[in-house]
C-alpha cells in the first residue's frame, strides 16, 4: 500500500540532511574543498575525542591525529582532482588499544564535501583474527610437511619454535626431550635467548618447573618468575635473560611424555583462549614430530642391524669358500676392494656400490656345488669337467635368486666369466650386454689371479699383469675401462 503525503508535510533539503544525520551513528561533517568545517553532526565514535561544539570553521584535519588528518587532506586532494568520492582508512591508538576508522568523502553541492567517519574496529579485528587463523593454519601445514618429509628432528623443532615465537608473540621458547635411558629432560632446541643459560639443562622428572610439567602431565604457568623461587633464577645467566612469564607444556604422544615445550616472555602476556588453544596445538605438533623422529630412528637402527646381519652372513659364506679352497684364500677380499675402487673411479652411486660389494664377495658362491675332484684337481680339467665347472655361475643364481635383497647383486656372480668378445660363459654375452658391475669385476679378478702365487706358477709382477690387461683390451676386457684401471693401479 502506497501512502501519499501532503506536499506541505514533505521535508525540505535541510530537514532531509538532518534526517540522514540522525539515522546513523557516524560522525558527519560538511566541509569545503580545503577541509574547513561548515556543518557537523556528532556520532557515537567517542574514541576520537571530537567535541560536538566549537568546530565550525576549523579544519577537519586539525581535529584528528596527525596521520589521520594527513590522509583526509590527501583524500580531499584526490576528490578535487577526480571529482569522485574518496575513501581513506586510518587507526588511532588509545587506552584500550587500537581503533580503526573508515572515512568517506563525497562531493556535494556548491563545491562542498560530506565527510563520514565510521568506527570499523570490529571489522578490522575480525579481519585480523581471520588473518591470524590463516597464518596459523599455514604454519601447521608447514610443520606437517616437515614431519612427513622426514626432515632432521633438530630442524623440525627449530621450525616449531620459530612459529611459536612469531604466532604467539613470545620472546623465547625451548624444547627439552626426555632421555629414556636416564629419565632426564635434556635441552634439544631453543630460540630467542640472549645467553646459553638453558643449553646444558638436565632435569630429573619432578625437578624444576619443566620436570613438574612432566610429572603432573599438565601445563605449569608462572605469571611472574621474579616472585617465585625457582631453580631457573639460581643461574646467573638466566637472570640476565630478564624473563617474567613462563609456560611449560608437556609433550605427549600415544600416551607417553616425550619432553616439554617451554615458553618465556620478558613482560606480561595477553593470553586469551585462542592464544592458549594454539599453544596446545603447537605442543601437539612438536610431540608428533618427536614421536615420528623416534620411530624413524628406531626403524633405521633396526634396518642397520638387519643390514649388518646380512653382510656378516655373506662374509661368512665367503669365508667358508676361502677355508675350503686354500689356493684362493683372501682372493675374495682383494678382488672386492679392487672392484669397489674402480667403481668409485667411475662415479657409481653409493647405493649401487653396496650391491657391487655383495656381488663381488659372492662371485664364486656357485662353487659350493662343485665336486672336490674338479675344484681341487692339480692338473688341467677335461672337456667334461669344464662343462661342470662352467655351471657354477648358474648355480650361484639358483642359490641367490630366492633371497630378494641379493637380487641386485646377481650380475657379478652370474656374469663375471663373460668376455667382451663374447667368448665367455655361461651365456656368451658380448660388449655392453655384459652388466657393468661384471665388467668391472673382471679387471680385479684377472689382475689378482695374475699377481697371486699358484702351485703351478709364481705371481706375476704388476707391470707384467698390467701389460696382459692391456693386451686383452677388446677381447677379454672392456676397452673403455682399461686405461682407467691401469691409471688407478699405477698412481
Amino acid at each position: 500500500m502506497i501512502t501519499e503525503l501532503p506536499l506541505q508535510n514533505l521535508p525540505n533539503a535541510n530537514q532531509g540532511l538532518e534526517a540522514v544525520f540522525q539515522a546513523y551513528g557516524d560522525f558527519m561533517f560538511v566541509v569545503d574543498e580545503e577541509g574547513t568545517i561548515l556543518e557537523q553532526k556528532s556520532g557515537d565514535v567517542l574514541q576520537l575525542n571530537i567535541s560536538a561544539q566549537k568546530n565550525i570553521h576549523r579544519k577537519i584535519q586539525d581535529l584528528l591525529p596527525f596521520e589521520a588528518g594527513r590522509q583526509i587532506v590527501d583524500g580531499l586532494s584526490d576528490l578535487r582532482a577526480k571529482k569522485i568520492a574518496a575513501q581513506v582508512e586510518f587507526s588511532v591508538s588509545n587506552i584500550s588499544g587500537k581503533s580503526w576508522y573508515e572515512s568517506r568523502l563525497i562531493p556535494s553541492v556548491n563545491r562542498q564535501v560530506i565527510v563520514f567517519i565510521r568506527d570499523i574496529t570490529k571489522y578490522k579485528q575480525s579481519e585480523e583474527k581471520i588473518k591470524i587463523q590463516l597464518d596459523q593454519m599455514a604454519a601447521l601445514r608447514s610443520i606437517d610437511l616437515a614431519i612427513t618429509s622426514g626432515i632432521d628432528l633438530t630442524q623440525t623443532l627449530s621450525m616449531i619454535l620459530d612459529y611459536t615465537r612469531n604466532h604467539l608473540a613470545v620472546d623465547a621458547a625451548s624444547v627439552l626431550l626426555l632421555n629414556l635411558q636416564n629419565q632426564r629432560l635434556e635441552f634439544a632446541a631453543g630460540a630467542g635467548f640472549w645467553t646459553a643459560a638453558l643449553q646444558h639443562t638436565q632435569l630429573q622428572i619432578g625437578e624444576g618447573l619443566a620436570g613438574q610439567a612432566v610429572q603432573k602431565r599438565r601445563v605449569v604457568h608462572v605469571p611472574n618468575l621474579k616472585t617465585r623461587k625457582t631453580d631457573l633464577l639460581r643461574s646467573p645467566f638466566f637472570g640476565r635473560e630478564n624473563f617474567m612469564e613462563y609456560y611449560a607444556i608437556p609433550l605427549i604422544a600415544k600416551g607417553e611424555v616425550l619432553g616439554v615445550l617451554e615458553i618465556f616472555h620478558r613482560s606480561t602476556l595477553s593470553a586469551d583462549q585462542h592464544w592458549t588453544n594454539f599453544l596446545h596445538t603447537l605442543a601437539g605438533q612438536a610431540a608428533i614430530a618427536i614421536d615420528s623422529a623416534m620411530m624413524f630412528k628406531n626403524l633405521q637402527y633396526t634396518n642397520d642391524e638387519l643390514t649388518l646381519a646380512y653382510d656378516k652372513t655373506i662374509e661368512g659364506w665367503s669365508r667358508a669358500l676361502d677355508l675350503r679352497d686354500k689356493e684362493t684364500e683372501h682372493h675374495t677380499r682383494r678382488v672386492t676392494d679392487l672392484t669397489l675402487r674402480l667403481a668409485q673411479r667411475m662415479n657409481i652411486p653409493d647405493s649401487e656400490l653396496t650391491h657391487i660389494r655383495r656381488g663381488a664377495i659372492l662371485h664364486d658362491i656357485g662353487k659350493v656345488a662343485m665336486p672336490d675332484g674338479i675344484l681341487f684337481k692339480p692338473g688341467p680339467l677335461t672337456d667334461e669337467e669344464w662343462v661342470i665347472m662352467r655351471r657354477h655361475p648358474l648355480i650361484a643364481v639358483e642359490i641367490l635368486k630366492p633371497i630378494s635383497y641379493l637380487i641386485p647383486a646377481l650380475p657379478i656372480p652370474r656374469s663375471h666369466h663373460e668376455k667382451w668378445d663374447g667368448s665367455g660363459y655361461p651365456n656368451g654375452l658380448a660388449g655392453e650386454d655384459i652388466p657393468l658391475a661384471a665388467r668391472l669385476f673382471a679387471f680385479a679378478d684377472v689382475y689378482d689371479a695374475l699377481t697371486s702365487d699358484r702351485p703351478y706358477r709364481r705371481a706375476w709382477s704388476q707391470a707384467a699383469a698390467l701389460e696382459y690387461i692391456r693386451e686383452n683390451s677388446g677381447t677379454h676386457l672392456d676397452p673403455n675401462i682399461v686405461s682407467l684401471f691401469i691409471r688407478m693401479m699405477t698412481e
Side-chain angles (χ1 to χ4, degrees), residues 341-342 345-346 439-440 443 447 465-474 477-491:
R341 283 174 57 194
L342 185 57
R345 288 284 180 122
M346 296 193 67
R439 282 180 272 145
L440 297 177
F443 283 89
Y447 180 84
L466 293 179
E467 181 59 30
Y468 178 89
I469 285 172
R470 187 179 288 108
E471 290 172 354
N472 281 269
S473 173
L477 303 168
D478 185 343
N480 302 309
I481 303 175
V482 168
S483 59
L484 179 64
F485 180 80
I486 292 174
R487 187 163 60 251
M488 181 184 81
M489 299 306 300
T490 54
E491 282 179 355

Side-chain angles (χ1 to χ4, degrees), residues 139-147 151-170 172-175 177 189-191 249 251 260-263 278-293:
L140 294 176
R141 175 61 176 161
S142 297
I143 294 171
D144 283 339
L145 289 174
I147 293 171
I151 294 176
D152 177 73
L153 178 60
T154 301
Q155 290 180 266
T156 303
L157 292 180
S158 295
M159 177 190 298
I160 292 173
L161 293 180
D162 286 340
Y163 284 131
T164 299
R165 292 182 62 212
N166 293 333
H167 293 281
L168 296 179
V170 296
S174 66
V175 171
L177 293 182
I249 306 92
L251 303 177
V260 177
L261 171 63
E262 295 185 296
I263 302 293
F278 192 62
L279 171 62
H280 284 280
T281 301
L282 286 171
Q285 290 293 94
I288 293 171
I290 296 165
D291 183 58
S292 297

